[in-house]
Every structure is written in structure tokens, then in C-alpha cells.
Amino acid sequence: RMPKSQTRLIEAVCAVNPHVVVILQGGAPMALPWADKVQAILLMYLGGEAVGSAAVDLLYGDANPCGKLAETWPRLDNDVPSSSWFPGVPHRVEYRESVYVGYRYFDSADIPVRYPFGYGLSYTRFEYSDLTLSSPQITDDQILKITFNVHNAGERAGKEIVQLYIHADTPHIFRPEQELKGFTKVALAPGETKPVTFWISARDLAFYNTEATDWSTLPGTY
């Protein structure tokens, strides 16, 4: 949670002026009870000594914000799966989330969040098209090629962080709803289109099998 004085200040300003932009600086997700009252939120993380001039460039449109969240921002701190037993007792912390850390938990438990992992807006917009797979199926020794186009449909140059997630249709296996398996950053001028390619192997579809003490890839639909 942010200091109460800062939250009260934001809410007081919003009460008299609807045109409010909040600049956040910090290294972790925060509870934002006032998020629906402001026009925009600019997250600068921990930008160092030049963060002030960088924020000015972004606010005035001299630069285009294109970052993505590296973690899930929950609506409430109690929504985090470790909230019941963290920070624990002196000299001992229990980690009970297993594989369900971050977005893997929120997606699998279908818990609403404030902002999902990988989220981020821009002064331009991007469109995806022409998704193709090199094969409808692969074996253990084959590589799947995934290609598609990303188009900058706006009027500003920008960078899109393309993210590839895998969902395994194996409900009897203890695994998350989806898992990030690849990402890349694409710089696009206004109106420009570029192809993006990802490569997926059977190992990328595997889960750690505790009985075999090794990684296993099950046949099925992904």
C-alpha cells in the first residue's frame, strides 16, 4: 500500500479536478483505490537520476511509452496467494504457491486483477494478423515455427512487446492455465508492418514430473 497521506492527496485533487495524471515510482505492485478517478497512470518504476526528464518527455509526447508490466498488479493485497502466510515468523517463511506464482495463479484461479502481467498502453496502437503454424502437430524431436504480422495502426512510432503463451489441454496435470514461452520487442514506424517468428519445441510444452524426476511432455492439444 502507498502511504495514506499520498492516497488522500490524490483523492483530494481528483475531487476538484477531473484531469489528473499520476506518476508512480516504485519497484513493486501497489494498491490503487483511486485508479478509476484519474485520467492516466504513468509507471516509471525506479528510473534513476534521469527519471524526471524522462517523465517530462513521456508526458509531453516527445517520447512514446511502450513498456509492459513485469508482474501482475492485483486489486487487493489479500488476492495474492501468499498473503495468508507471508512474511511468516522469524527465521522462517513458507512458500506454498508451488507453480502458481504471479499470473500463473491469477489466470488459473480466475481472480480479477487491476492490471495483468504484460499489460501496458502506448500513444499508438498495434494490430496482429496472419497467424500461421508450420505444422498442426509436432513430435519430441521437431520444432514448431509460429509466424504472424504486427502492424502499427497509429500515427506515432512505437515498440510492441509481443508475448507468446502456451495453454495445455491436460486438466489432470498440475500446471497453470497458461505459461509465457516467448517474447520479443518490435519497433514500428506509423503504418509499418513487420513479421514476428517464434520457435516452440516439445521441451517448451513440458512440465516437471516429480515421479520421473525429469521433464515430461504429454501428448495432447496445446
Side-chain angles (χ1 to χ4, degrees):
R1 296 190 180 106
M2 295 171 58
K4 293 181 179 179
S5 59
Q6 296 182 13
T7 296
R8 288 198 299 265
L9 173 62
I10 294 173
E11 292 177 342
V13 174
C14 290
V16 296
N17 186 350
H19 305 293
V20 176
V21 174
V22 174
I23 304 174
L24 290 179
Q25 297 188 51
M30 311 172 201
L32 309 177
W34 40 262
D36 296 330
K37 300 178 182 179
V38 301
Q39 296 295 306
I41 300 172
L42 179 61
L43 176 62
M44 300 300 295
Y45 278 107
L46 301 173
E49 63 179 321
V51 66
S53 57
V56 170
D57 290 342
L58 293 168
L59 290 173
Y60 280 88
D62 296 328
N64 188 0
C66 296
K68 303 292 185 181
L69 289 179
E71 62 279 301
T72 302
W73 282 48
R75 289 186 176 273
L76 302 171
D77 52 0
N78 289 338
D79 289 340
V80 179
S82 62
S83 61
S84 298
W85 53 83
F86 192 86
V89 297
H91 311 299
R92 187 179 71 192
V93 177
E94 296 184 22
Y95 290 84
R96 302 186 184 183
E97 305 98 318
S98 181
V99 297
Y100 296 105
V101 176
Y103 74 89
R104 298 172 181 85
Y105 165 75
F106 291 100
D107 289 348
S108 301
D110 196 23
I111 302 296
V113 299
R114 173 67 69 180
Y115 302 112
F117 173 87
Y119 176 82
L121 299 178
S122 171
Y123 293 150
T124 188
R125 66 185 192 279
F126 301 97
E127 298 175 350
Y128 293 60
S129 64
D130 301 327
L131 175 66
T132 60
L133 306 180
S134 59
S135 173
Q137 60 186 22
I138 59 172
T139 59
D140 286 343
D141 57 350
Q142 292 179 319
I143 301 294
L144 177 68
K145 180 181 180 182
I146 303 173
T147 59
F148 52 92
N149 292 325
V150 180
H151 174 68
N152 184 346
E155 299 178 353
R156 295 288 305 271
K159 298 177 181 178
E160 173 70 332
I161 293 84
V162 182
Q163 304 160 62
L164 174 68
Y165 294 83
I166 294 296
H167 165 77
D169 192 13
T170 52
H172 58 290
I173 296 299
F174 190 72
R175 65 189 309 168
E177 174 70 13
Q178 63 176 2
E179 297 175 87
L180 180 69
K181 292 300 180 180
F183 63 92
T184 187
K185 181 183 289 187
V186 184
L188 296 166
E192 185 178 11
T193 301
K194 288 184 179 179
V196 174
T197 300
F198 287 107
W199 303 89
I200 293 295
S201 66
R203 176 63 174 78
D204 294 315
L205 307 178
F207 70 101
Y208 188 78
N209 189 332
T210 55
E211 294 182 357
T213 62
D214 200 356
W215 293 90
S216 299
T217 304
L218 294 181
T221 302
Y222 294 84

